[in-house]
Amino acid sequence: MMIVLLSIVMVIVAAGLAAVVWAARGGPRWVHGVANATLAAAEVVAAARKRKSRGFAVKSGSTLDGGGSGDSGGSGS
């Protein structure tokens, strides 16, 4: 069931992309409407991702693995 749902979403995304490309080349009026809806949906998704990622900012100088600030490579001689 999940694969069917994912397939439907992928078909909708591909159709939206095709509409954006076709509208850029001067397609009919309804294609411009679909392209505008696709671009608006992309803006909403981008804004949601930006809001979500704001809470996970990494502090300056820290590492993701929790290691120290020592030099991990190079020749120490």
Side-chain angles (χ1 to χ4, degrees):
M1 181 64 184
M2 195 63 158
I3 292 177
V4 173
L5 183 63
L6 183 60
S7 298
I8 291 170
V9 169
M10 291 303 294
V11 167
I12 291 171
V13 168
L17 176 63
V20 169
V21 172
W22 191 9
R25 301 179 121 204
R29 186 181 298 176
W30 67 268
V31 173
H32 289 271
V34 173
N36 285 335
T38 301
L39 293 174
E43 289 291 327
V44 168
V45 170
R49 287 188 65 183
K50 195 178 290 186
R51 263 186 262 119
K52 183 179 178 183
S53 67
R54 252 186 234 157
F56 296 107
V58 178
K59 293 181 181 177
S60 178
S62 67
T63 60
L64 293 176
D65 61 358
S69 60
D71 188 15
S72 63
S75 60
S77 327

